[in-house]
Amino acid sequence: MPLLDLPARELLDRFASKDPTPGGGSAAALAGALGAALVAMVCAMGKTRTGEPSERERLDAAGALASGAGGRLRRLVDDDTAAYDAVTAAYRLPKGTDDEKARRKQAIAAAMTRATEVPRRTAEACLEVLRAAAEAAAHGNPNALSDAKTAGALAWAGLLGAFENVRINLGPNPDPSAAAELDTLLSEARPSIATIGLG
């Protein structure tokens, strides 16, 4: 059963259990998805900050951005768990012969690539939610400002969590281009954080 099909209390209990999955990567995707849902709510409200038609256009665009990113993040909640499980399965493959060692090494490499790609996609989607939250905070109903800020905080938390999962899966000597890509994601998030007033 997909994790998001579980009752909320049971889902939290799954995160709290001693099992390694669902773990931080799935939690990061969930945080981003929850942020996206809040952005969608604020952007769907009839009232904007000043009532200018341009604000409605910006909010509609932000709502569409958040909805698209939120849909991806909902899938990534389970994708991250599956990616971790694949790594575990690869490490458990037999290694008694040279052929088995070679197959195991290949499986581990493929699983680690996936385990790095999934949280990277989570970070990218969370960045989109963060940008949409900034638009909602700047142009949305003033009475919902705290909702837009909460959405931004959740998206930022998701981005940071995904960032840490990518970094640990890249290992101690990551490819310079991959490390630079992570730094770029964080840099691109900062204008939205400033707009929302998160730090």
PDB file of all heavy atoms in Angstrom, residues 54-93:
ATOM      1  N   SER A  54      -3.388  41.420 -11.881  1.00  0.00           N
ATOM      2  CA  SER A  54      -2.085  40.781 -12.083  1.00  0.00           C
ATOM      3  C   SER A  54      -1.761  39.815 -10.950  1.00  0.00           C
ATOM      4  O   SER A  54      -1.074  38.805 -11.152  1.00  0.00           O
ATOM      5  CB  SER A  54      -0.985  41.832 -12.184  1.00  0.00           C
ATOM      6  OG  SER A  54      -0.909  42.606 -10.996  1.00  0.00           O
ATOM      7  N   GLU A  55      -2.266  40.105  -9.757  1.00  0.00           N
ATOM      8  CA  GLU A  55      -2.025  39.201  -8.631  1.00  0.00           C
ATOM      9  C   GLU A  55      -2.741  37.873  -8.838  1.00  0.00           C
ATOM     10  O   GLU A  55      -2.198  36.810  -8.518  1.00  0.00           O
ATOM     11  CB  GLU A  55      -2.467  39.847  -7.319  1.00  0.00           C
ATOM     12  CG  GLU A  55      -1.550  40.955  -6.856  1.00  0.00           C
ATOM     13  CD  GLU A  55      -1.929  41.478  -5.490  1.00  0.00           C
ATOM     14  OE1 GLU A  55      -3.133  41.504  -5.167  1.00  0.00           O
ATOM     15  OE2 GLU A  55      -1.016  41.880  -4.744  1.00  0.00           O
ATOM     16  N   ARG A  56      -3.949  37.928  -9.374  1.00  0.00           N
ATOM     17  CA  ARG A  56      -4.683  36.688  -9.634  1.00  0.00           C
ATOM     18  C   ARG A  56      -3.927  35.836 -10.648  1.00  0.00           C
ATOM     19  O   ARG A  56      -3.831  34.625 -10.494  1.00  0.00           O
ATOM     20  CB  ARG A  56      -6.085  37.031 -10.141  1.00  0.00           C
ATOM     21  CG  ARG A  56      -6.923  35.884 -10.657  1.00  0.00           C
ATOM     22  CD  ARG A  56      -6.920  34.645  -9.776  1.00  0.00           C
ATOM     23  NE  ARG A  56      -7.242  34.924  -8.387  1.00  0.00           N
ATOM     24  CZ  ARG A  56      -6.877  34.139  -7.381  1.00  0.00           C
ATOM     25  NH1 ARG A  56      -6.170  33.038  -7.594  1.00  0.00           N
ATOM     26  NH2 ARG A  56      -7.209  34.442  -6.147  1.00  0.00           N
ATOM     27  N   GLU A  57      -3.364  36.481 -11.660  1.00  0.00           N
ATOM     28  CA  GLU A  57      -2.582  35.744 -12.654  1.00  0.00           C
ATOM     29  C   GLU A  57      -1.368  35.084 -12.018  1.00  0.00           C
ATOM     30  O   GLU A  57      -1.053  33.923 -12.295  1.00  0.00           O
ATOM     31  CB  GLU A  57      -2.147  36.689 -13.776  1.00  0.00           C
ATOM     32  CG  GLU A  57      -3.288  37.214 -14.630  1.00  0.00           C
ATOM     33  CD  GLU A  57      -2.827  38.214 -15.671  1.00  0.00           C
ATOM     34  OE1 GLU A  57      -1.591  38.400 -15.804  1.00  0.00           O
ATOM     35  OE2 GLU A  57      -3.686  38.804 -16.349  1.00  0.00           O
ATOM     36  N   ARG A  58      -0.691  35.824 -11.164  1.00  0.00           N
ATOM     37  CA  ARG A  58       0.506  35.274 -10.507  1.00  0.00           C
ATOM     38  C   ARG A  58       0.137  34.140  -9.565  1.00  0.00           C
ATOM     39  O   ARG A  58       0.852  33.137  -9.480  1.00  0.00           O
ATOM     40  CB  ARG A  58       1.252  36.379  -9.770  1.00  0.00           C
ATOM     41  CG  ARG A  58       1.798  37.441 -10.698  1.00  0.00           C
ATOM     42  CD  ARG A  58       2.680  38.435  -9.985  1.00  0.00           C
ATOM     43  NE  ARG A  58       3.967  37.830  -9.616  1.00  0.00           N
ATOM     44  CZ  ARG A  58       5.086  38.529  -9.494  1.00  0.00           C
ATOM     45  NH1 ARG A  58       5.103  39.822  -9.725  1.00  0.00           N
ATOM     46  NH2 ARG A  58       6.207  37.923  -9.138  1.00  0.00           N
ATOM     47  N   LEU A  59      -0.965  34.291  -8.855  1.00  0.00           N
ATOM     48  CA  LEU A  59      -1.389  33.235  -7.943  1.00  0.00           C
ATOM     49  C   LEU A  59      -1.838  31.990  -8.699  1.00  0.00           C
ATOM     50  O   LEU A  59      -1.567  30.860  -8.266  1.00  0.00           O
ATOM     51  CB  LEU A  59      -2.513  33.732  -7.039  1.00  0.00           C
ATOM     52  CG  LEU A  59      -2.094  34.744  -5.962  1.00  0.00           C
ATOM     53  CD1 LEU A  59      -3.319  35.327  -5.280  1.00  0.00           C
ATOM     54  CD2 LEU A  59      -1.152  34.104  -4.945  1.00  0.00           C
ATOM     55  N   ASP A  60      -2.507  32.177  -9.820  1.00  0.00           N
ATOM     56  CA  ASP A  60      -2.906  31.019 -10.619  1.00  0.00           C
ATOM     57  C   ASP A  60      -1.675  30.256 -11.117  1.00  0.00           C
ATOM     58  O   ASP A  60      -1.645  29.021 -11.097  1.00  0.00           O
ATOM     59  CB  ASP A  60      -3.764  31.457 -11.809  1.00  0.00           C
ATOM     60  CG  ASP A  60      -5.167  31.891 -11.393  1.00  0.00           C
ATOM     61  OD1 ASP A  60      -5.561  31.596 -10.249  1.00  0.00           O
ATOM     62  OD2 ASP A  60      -5.851  32.529 -12.225  1.00  0.00           O
ATOM     63  N   ALA A  61      -0.670  31.003 -11.553  1.00  0.00           N
ATOM     64  CA  ALA A  61       0.564  30.365 -12.026  1.00  0.00           C
ATOM     65  C   ALA A  61       1.282  29.660 -10.876  1.00  0.00           C
ATOM     66  O   ALA A  61       1.776  28.537 -11.033  1.00  0.00           O
ATOM     67  CB  ALA A  61       1.478  31.400 -12.667  1.00  0.00           C
ATOM     68  N   ALA A  62       1.306  30.311  -9.720  1.00  0.00           N
ATOM     69  CA  ALA A  62       1.956  29.698  -8.555  1.00  0.00           C
ATOM     70  C   ALA A  62       1.211  28.450  -8.107  1.00  0.00           C
ATOM     71  O   ALA A  62       1.836  27.442  -7.723  1.00  0.00           O
ATOM     72  CB  ALA A  62       2.041  30.706  -7.410  1.00  0.00           C
ATOM     73  N   GLY A  63      -0.112  28.507  -8.152  1.00  0.00           N
ATOM     74  CA  GLY A  63      -0.900  27.344  -7.770  1.00  0.00           C
ATOM     75  C   GLY A  63      -0.658  26.170  -8.697  1.00  0.00           C
ATOM     76  O   GLY A  63      -0.554  25.018  -8.256  1.00  0.00           O
ATOM     77  N   ALA A  64      -0.542  26.444  -9.987  1.00  0.00           N
ATOM     78  CA  ALA A  64      -0.261  25.372 -10.950  1.00  0.00           C
ATOM     79  C   ALA A  64       1.127  24.794 -10.722  1.00  0.00           C
ATOM     80  O   ALA A  64       1.322  23.568 -10.792  1.00  0.00           O
ATOM     81  CB  ALA A  64      -0.388  25.911 -12.371  1.00  0.00           C
ATOM     82  N   LEU A  65       2.093  25.671 -10.430  1.00  0.00           N
ATOM     83  CA  LEU A  65       3.452  25.204 -10.152  1.00  0.00           C
ATOM     84  C   LEU A  65       3.479  24.307  -8.923  1.00  0.00           C
ATOM     85  O   LEU A  65       4.092  23.230  -8.924  1.00  0.00           O
ATOM     86  CB  LEU A  65       4.374  26.407  -9.947  1.00  0.00           C
ATOM     87  CG  LEU A  65       5.850  26.112  -9.653  1.00  0.00           C
ATOM     88  CD1 LEU A  65       6.511  25.434 -10.839  1.00  0.00           C
ATOM     89  CD2 LEU A  65       6.583  27.407  -9.294  1.00  0.00           C
ATOM     90  N   ALA A  66       2.787  24.738  -7.869  1.00  0.00           N
ATOM     91  CA  ALA A  66       2.752  23.961  -6.632  1.00  0.00           C
ATOM     92  C   ALA A  66       2.036  22.634  -6.831  1.00  0.00           C
ATOM     93  O   ALA A  66       2.466  21.600  -6.294  1.00  0.00           O
ATOM     94  CB  ALA A  66       2.075  24.762  -5.521  1.00  0.00           C
ATOM     95  N   SER A  67       0.956  22.642  -7.592  1.00  0.00           N
ATOM     96  CA  SER A  67       0.211  21.402  -7.804  1.00  0.00           C
ATOM     97  C   SER A  67       1.043  20.382  -8.580  1.00  0.00           C
ATOM     98  O   SER A  67       1.044  19.191  -8.245  1.00  0.00           O
ATOM     99  CB  SER A  67      -1.092  21.696  -8.557  1.00  0.00           C
ATOM    100  OG  SER A  67      -1.961  22.471  -7.758  1.00  0.00           O
ATOM    101  N   GLY A  68       1.748  20.842  -9.599  1.00  0.00           N
ATOM    102  CA  GLY A  68       2.597  19.926 -10.357  1.00  0.00           C
ATOM    103  C   GLY A  68       3.721  19.353  -9.514  1.00  0.00           C
ATOM    104  O   GLY A  68       3.963  18.137  -9.514  1.00  0.00           O
ATOM    105  N   ALA A  69       4.403  20.230  -8.767  1.00  0.00           N
ATOM    106  CA  ALA A  69       5.484  19.773  -7.904  1.00  0.00           C
ATOM    107  C   ALA A  69       4.955  18.882  -6.788  1.00  0.00           C
ATOM    108  O   ALA A  69       5.578  17.882  -6.416  1.00  0.00           O
ATOM    109  CB  ALA A  69       6.233  20.971  -7.316  1.00  0.00           C
ATOM    110  N   GLY A  70       3.787  19.245  -6.255  1.00  0.00           N
ATOM    111  CA  GLY A  70       3.196  18.449  -5.181  1.00  0.00           C
ATOM    112  C   GLY A  70       2.850  17.043  -5.634  1.00  0.00           C
ATOM    113  O   GLY A  70       3.029  16.080  -4.886  1.00  0.00           O
ATOM    114  N   GLY A  71       2.359  16.909  -6.861  1.00  0.00           N
ATOM    115  CA  GLY A  71       2.056  15.580  -7.384  1.00  0.00           C
ATOM    116  C   GLY A  71       3.310  14.724  -7.487  1.00  0.00           C
ATOM    117  O   GLY A  71       3.281  13.528  -7.152  1.00  0.00           O
ATOM    118  N   ARG A  72       4.407  15.323  -7.934  1.00  0.00           N
ATOM    119  CA  ARG A  72       5.667  14.579  -8.011  1.00  0.00           C
ATOM    120  C   ARG A  72       6.157  14.201  -6.626  1.00  0.00           C
ATOM    121  O   ARG A  72       6.648  13.086  -6.410  1.00  0.00           O
ATOM    122  CB  ARG A  72       6.728  15.407  -8.748  1.00  0.00           C
ATOM    123  CG  ARG A  72       6.360  15.700 -10.195  1.00  0.00           C
ATOM    124  CD  ARG A  72       7.553  16.131 -11.007  1.00  0.00           C
ATOM    125  NE  ARG A  72       8.269  17.275 -10.473  1.00  0.00           N
ATOM    126  CZ  ARG A  72       7.912  18.550 -10.671  1.00  0.00           C
ATOM    127  NH1 ARG A  72       6.816  18.837 -11.363  1.00  0.00           N
ATOM    128  NH2 ARG A  72       8.629  19.523 -10.167  1.00  0.00           N
ATOM    129  N   LEU A  73       6.020  15.107  -5.688  1.00  0.00           N
ATOM    130  CA  LEU A  73       6.492  14.829  -4.326  1.00  0.00           C
ATOM    131  C   LEU A  73       5.679  13.714  -3.671  1.00  0.00           C
ATOM    132  O   LEU A  73       6.240  12.911  -2.918  1.00  0.00           O
ATOM    133  CB  LEU A  73       6.417  16.109  -3.486  1.00  0.00           C
ATOM    134  CG  LEU A  73       7.513  17.132  -3.816  1.00  0.00           C
ATOM    135  CD1 LEU A  73       7.135  18.517  -3.305  1.00  0.00           C
ATOM    136  CD2 LEU A  73       8.851  16.683  -3.228  1.00  0.00           C
ATOM    137  N   ARG A  74       4.414  13.650  -3.952  1.00  0.00           N
ATOM    138  CA  ARG A  74       3.606  12.557  -3.387  1.00  0.00           C
ATOM    139  C   ARG A  74       4.120  11.204  -3.872  1.00  0.00           C
ATOM    140  O   ARG A  74       4.182  10.242  -3.101  1.00  0.00           O
ATOM    141  CB  ARG A  74       2.140  12.737  -3.783  1.00  0.00           C
ATOM    142  CG  ARG A  74       1.482  13.938  -3.115  1.00  0.00           C
ATOM    143  CD  ARG A  74       0.031  14.082  -3.515  1.00  0.00           C
ATOM    144  NE  ARG A  74      -0.537  15.335  -3.026  1.00  0.00           N
ATOM    145  CZ  ARG A  74      -1.813  15.517  -2.738  1.00  0.00           C
ATOM    146  NH1 ARG A  74      -2.674  14.521  -2.873  1.00  0.00           N
ATOM    147  NH2 ARG A  74      -2.244  16.696  -2.317  1.00  0.00           N
ATOM    148  N   ARG A  75       4.501  11.139  -5.143  1.00  0.00           N
ATOM    149  CA  ARG A  75       5.067   9.880  -5.667  1.00  0.00           C
ATOM    150  C   ARG A  75       6.449   9.611  -5.086  1.00  0.00           C
ATOM    151  O   ARG A  75       6.816   8.460  -4.826  1.00  0.00           O
ATOM    152  CB  ARG A  75       5.131   9.942  -7.194  1.00  0.00           C
ATOM    153  CG  ARG A  75       3.756   9.963  -7.864  1.00  0.00           C
ATOM    154  CD  ARG A  75       3.848   9.835  -9.364  1.00  0.00           C
ATOM    155  NE  ARG A  75       4.480  10.981  -9.983  1.00  0.00           N
ATOM    156  CZ  ARG A  75       3.828  12.086 -10.356  1.00  0.00           C
ATOM    157  NH1 ARG A  75       2.523  12.197 -10.141  1.00  0.00           N
ATOM    158  NH2 ARG A  75       4.475  13.075 -10.941  1.00  0.00           N
ATOM    159  N   LEU A  76       7.203  10.674  -4.845  1.00  0.00           N
ATOM    160  CA  LEU A  76       8.567  10.516  -4.330  1.00  0.00           C
ATOM    161  C   LEU A  76       8.597  10.004  -2.893  1.00  0.00           C
ATOM    162  O   LEU A  76       9.611   9.457  -2.452  1.00  0.00           O
ATOM    163  CB  LEU A  76       9.318  11.848  -4.448  1.00  0.00           C
ATOM    164  CG  LEU A  76       9.749  12.208  -5.875  1.00  0.00           C
ATOM    165  CD1 LEU A  76      10.079  13.696  -5.982  1.00  0.00           C
ATOM    166  CD2 LEU A  76      10.938  11.360  -6.296  1.00  0.00           C
ATOM    167  N   VAL A  77       7.508  10.182  -2.161  1.00  0.00           N
ATOM    168  CA  VAL A  77       7.437   9.616  -0.800  1.00  0.00           C
ATOM    169  C   VAL A  77       7.698   8.111  -0.858  1.00  0.00           C
ATOM    170  O   VAL A  77       8.499   7.571  -0.083  1.00  0.00           O
ATOM    171  CB  VAL A  77       6.071   9.914  -0.148  1.00  0.00           C
ATOM    172  CG1 VAL A  77       5.942   9.164   1.175  1.00  0.00           C
ATOM    173  CG2 VAL A  77       5.890  11.413   0.077  1.00  0.00           C
ATOM    174  N   ASP A  78       7.038   7.433  -1.791  1.00  0.00           N
ATOM    175  CA  ASP A  78       7.242   5.991  -1.937  1.00  0.00           C
ATOM    176  C   ASP A  78       8.497   5.664  -2.745  1.00  0.00           C
ATOM    177  O   ASP A  78       9.163   4.658  -2.480  1.00  0.00           O
ATOM    178  CB  ASP A  78       6.022   5.351  -2.605  1.00  0.00           C
ATOM    179  CG  ASP A  78       4.858   5.208  -1.632  1.00  0.00           C
ATOM    180  OD1 ASP A  78       5.019   4.513  -0.614  1.00  0.00           O
ATOM    181  OD2 ASP A  78       3.803   5.793  -1.889  1.00  0.00           O
ATOM    182  N   ASP A  79       8.825   6.500  -3.715  1.00  0.00           N
ATOM    183  CA  ASP A  79      10.016   6.242  -4.531  1.00  0.00           C
ATOM    184  C   ASP A  79      11.273   6.211  -3.671  1.00  0.00           C
ATOM    185  O   ASP A  79      12.173   5.403  -3.906  1.00  0.00           O
ATOM    186  CB  ASP A  79      10.172   7.317  -5.614  1.00  0.00           C
ATOM    187  CG  ASP A  79       9.147   7.180  -6.727  1.00  0.00           C
ATOM    188  OD1 ASP A  79       8.428   6.145  -6.759  1.00  0.00           O
ATOM    189  OD2 ASP A  79       9.055   8.095  -7.554  1.00  0.00           O
ATOM    190  N   ASP A  80      11.327   7.086  -2.677  1.00  0.00           N
ATOM    191  CA  ASP A  80      12.515   7.118  -1.831  1.00  0.00           C
ATOM    192  C   ASP A  80      12.645   5.841  -1.011  1.00  0.00           C
ATOM    193  O   ASP A  80      13.735   5.284  -0.872  1.00  0.00           O
ATOM    194  CB  ASP A  80      12.495   8.334  -0.900  1.00  0.00           C
ATOM    195  CG  ASP A  80      13.844   8.564  -0.253  1.00  0.00           C
ATOM    196  OD1 ASP A  80      14.657   9.291  -0.833  1.00  0.00           O
ATOM    197  OD2 ASP A  80      14.077   7.994   0.838  1.00  0.00           O
ATOM    198  N   THR A  81      11.535   5.379  -0.470  1.00  0.00           N
ATOM    199  CA  THR A  81      11.556   4.125   0.278  1.00  0.00           C
ATOM    200  C   THR A  81      11.983   2.968  -0.620  1.00  0.00           C
ATOM    201  O   THR A  81      12.799   2.126  -0.232  1.00  0.00           O
ATOM    202  CB  THR A  81      10.168   3.852   0.890  1.00  0.00           C
ATOM    203  OG1 THR A  81       9.910   4.831   1.909  1.00  0.00           O
ATOM    204  CG2 THR A  81      10.095   2.474   1.523  1.00  0.00           C
ATOM    205  N   ALA A  82      11.453   2.925  -1.846  1.00  0.00           N
ATOM    206  CA  ALA A  82      11.810   1.857  -2.781  1.00  0.00           C
ATOM    207  C   ALA A  82      13.291   1.923  -3.143  1.00  0.00           C
ATOM    208  O   ALA A  82      13.951   0.888  -3.287  1.00  0.00           O
ATOM    209  CB  ALA A  82      10.956   1.964  -4.038  1.00  0.00           C
ATOM    210  N   ALA A  83      13.822   3.145  -3.288  1.00  0.00           N
ATOM    211  CA  ALA A  83      15.232   3.298  -3.637  1.00  0.00           C
ATOM    212  C   ALA A  83      16.131   2.778  -2.516  1.00  0.00           C
ATOM    213  O   ALA A  83      17.123   2.089  -2.766  1.00  0.00           O
ATOM    214  CB  ALA A  83      15.543   4.761  -3.925  1.00  0.00           C
ATOM    215  N   TYR A  84      15.775   3.079  -1.280  1.00  0.00           N
ATOM    216  CA  TYR A  84      16.565   2.578  -0.152  1.00  0.00           C
ATOM    217  C   TYR A  84      16.489   1.061  -0.071  1.00  0.00           C
ATOM    218  O   TYR A  84      17.505   0.384   0.157  1.00  0.00           O
ATOM    219  CB  TYR A  84      16.069   3.194   1.153  1.00  0.00           C
ATOM    220  CG  TYR A  84      16.874   2.741   2.363  1.00  0.00           C
ATOM    221  CD1 TYR A  84      17.961   3.483   2.802  1.00  0.00           C
ATOM    222  CD2 TYR A  84      16.547   1.568   3.048  1.00  0.00           C
ATOM    223  CE1 TYR A  84      18.713   3.058   3.899  1.00  0.00           C
ATOM    224  CE2 TYR A  84      17.288   1.148   4.138  1.00  0.00           C
ATOM    225  CZ  TYR A  84      18.363   1.893   4.551  1.00  0.00           C
ATOM    226  OH  TYR A  84      19.107   1.466   5.631  1.00  0.00           O
ATOM    227  N   ASP A  85      15.296   0.521  -0.256  1.00  0.00           N
ATOM    228  CA  ASP A  85      15.131  -0.930  -0.204  1.00  0.00           C
ATOM    229  C   ASP A  85      15.953  -1.618  -1.295  1.00  0.00           C
ATOM    230  O   ASP A  85      16.490  -2.716  -1.086  1.00  0.00           O
ATOM    231  CB  ASP A  85      13.659  -1.303  -0.346  1.00  0.00           C
ATOM    232  CG  ASP A  85      12.839  -0.921   0.883  1.00  0.00           C
ATOM    233  OD1 ASP A  85      13.431  -0.670   1.950  1.00  0.00           O
ATOM    234  OD2 ASP A  85      11.596  -0.848   0.762  1.00  0.00           O
ATOM    235  N   ALA A  86      16.080  -0.968  -2.451  1.00  0.00           N
ATOM    236  CA  ALA A  86      16.874  -1.542  -3.530  1.00  0.00           C
ATOM    237  C   ALA A  86      18.355  -1.573  -3.172  1.00  0.00           C
ATOM    238  O   ALA A  86      19.065  -2.529  -3.514  1.00  0.00           O
ATOM    239  CB  ALA A  86      16.664  -0.743  -4.816  1.00  0.00           C
ATOM    240  N   VAL A  87      18.829  -0.553  -2.489  1.00  0.00           N
ATOM    241  CA  VAL A  87      20.227  -0.538  -2.035  1.00  0.00           C
ATOM    242  C   VAL A  87      20.465  -1.677  -1.048  1.00  0.00           C
ATOM    243  O   VAL A  87      21.453  -2.412  -1.145  1.00  0.00           O
ATOM    244  CB  VAL A  87      20.577   0.825  -1.391  1.00  0.00           C
ATOM    245  CG1 VAL A  87      21.947   0.756  -0.720  1.00  0.00           C
ATOM    246  CG2 VAL A  87      20.555   1.926  -2.439  1.00  0.00           C
ATOM    247  N   THR A  88      19.567  -1.825  -0.109  1.00  0.00           N
ATOM    248  CA  THR A  88      19.689  -2.899   0.878  1.00  0.00           C
ATOM    249  C   THR A  88      19.701  -4.259   0.201  1.00  0.00           C
ATOM    250  O   THR A  88      20.516  -5.129   0.538  1.00  0.00           O
ATOM    251  CB  THR A  88      18.523  -2.824   1.881  1.00  0.00           C
ATOM    252  OG1 THR A  88      18.536  -1.552   2.530  1.00  0.00           O
ATOM    253  CG2 THR A  88      18.638  -3.919   2.931  1.00  0.00           C
ATOM    254  N   ALA A  89      18.815  -4.444  -0.762  1.00  0.00           N
ATOM    255  CA  ALA A  89      18.758  -5.721  -1.479  1.00  0.00           C
ATOM    256  C   ALA A  89      20.032  -5.980  -2.262  1.00  0.00           C
ATOM    257  O   ALA A  89      20.525  -7.121  -2.321  1.00  0.00           O
ATOM    258  CB  ALA A  89      17.553  -5.725  -2.423  1.00  0.00           C
ATOM    259  N   ALA A  90      20.600  -4.943  -2.845  1.00  0.00           N
ATOM    260  CA  ALA A  90      21.837  -5.106  -3.615  1.00  0.00           C
ATOM    261  C   ALA A  90      22.992  -5.541  -2.719  1.00  0.00           C
ATOM    262  O   ALA A  90      23.792  -6.415  -3.086  1.00  0.00           O
ATOM    263  CB  ALA A  90      22.182  -3.808  -4.339  1.00  0.00           C
ATOM    264  N   TYR A  91      23.072  -4.948  -1.546  1.00  0.00           N
ATOM    265  CA  TYR A  91      24.159  -5.318  -0.621  1.00  0.00           C
ATOM    266  C   TYR A  91      23.991  -6.739  -0.084  1.00  0.00           C
ATOM    267  O   TYR A  91      24.966  -7.348   0.368  1.00  0.00           O
ATOM    268  CB  TYR A  91      24.221  -4.324   0.542  1.00  0.00           C
ATOM    269  CG  TYR A  91      25.090  -3.127   0.248  1.00  0.00           C
ATOM    270  CD1 TYR A  91      24.529  -1.895  -0.076  1.00  0.00           C
ATOM    271  CD2 TYR A  91      26.477  -3.221   0.274  1.00  0.00           C
ATOM    272  CE1 TYR A  91      25.315  -0.786  -0.354  1.00  0.00           C
ATOM    273  CE2 TYR A  91      27.276  -2.120   0.000  1.00  0.00           C
ATOM    274  CZ  TYR A  91      26.698  -0.915  -0.317  1.00  0.00           C
ATOM    275  OH  TYR A  91      27.493   0.167  -0.596  1.00  0.00           O
ATOM    276  N   ARG A  92      22.794  -7.277  -0.146  1.00  0.00           N
ATOM    277  CA  ARG A  92      22.556  -8.635   0.358  1.00  0.00           C
ATOM    278  C   ARG A  92      22.791  -9.702  -0.710  1.00  0.00           C
ATOM    279  O   ARG A  92      22.673 -10.902  -0.418  1.00  0.00           O
ATOM    280  CB  ARG A  92      21.130  -8.745   0.882  1.00  0.00           C
ATOM    281  CG  ARG A  92      20.904  -7.985   2.180  1.00  0.00           C
ATOM    282  CD  ARG A  92      19.453  -8.039   2.607  1.00  0.00           C
ATOM    283  NE  ARG A  92      19.243  -7.369   3.884  1.00  0.00           N
ATOM    284  CZ  ARG A  92      18.064  -7.021   4.378  1.00  0.00           C
ATOM    285  NH1 ARG A  92      16.960  -7.280   3.672  1.00  0.00           N
ATOM    286  NH2 ARG A  92      17.953  -6.408   5.541  1.00  0.00           N
ATOM    287  N   LEU A  93      23.097  -9.316  -1.923  1.00  0.00           N
ATOM    288  CA  LEU A  93      23.344 -10.296  -2.983  1.00  0.00           C
ATOM    289  C   LEU A  93      24.571 -11.142  -2.658  1.00  0.00           C
ATOM    290  O   LEU A  93      25.503 -10.670  -1.998  1.00  0.00           O
ATOM    291  CB  LEU A  93      23.551  -9.578  -4.323  1.00  0.00           C
ATOM    292  CG  LEU A  93      22.304  -8.927  -4.935  1.00  0.00           C
ATOM    293  CD1 LEU A  93      22.689  -8.105  -6.166  1.00  0.00           C
ATOM    294  CD2 LEU A  93      21.255  -9.970  -5.288  1.00  0.00           C
TER     295      LEU A  93
END
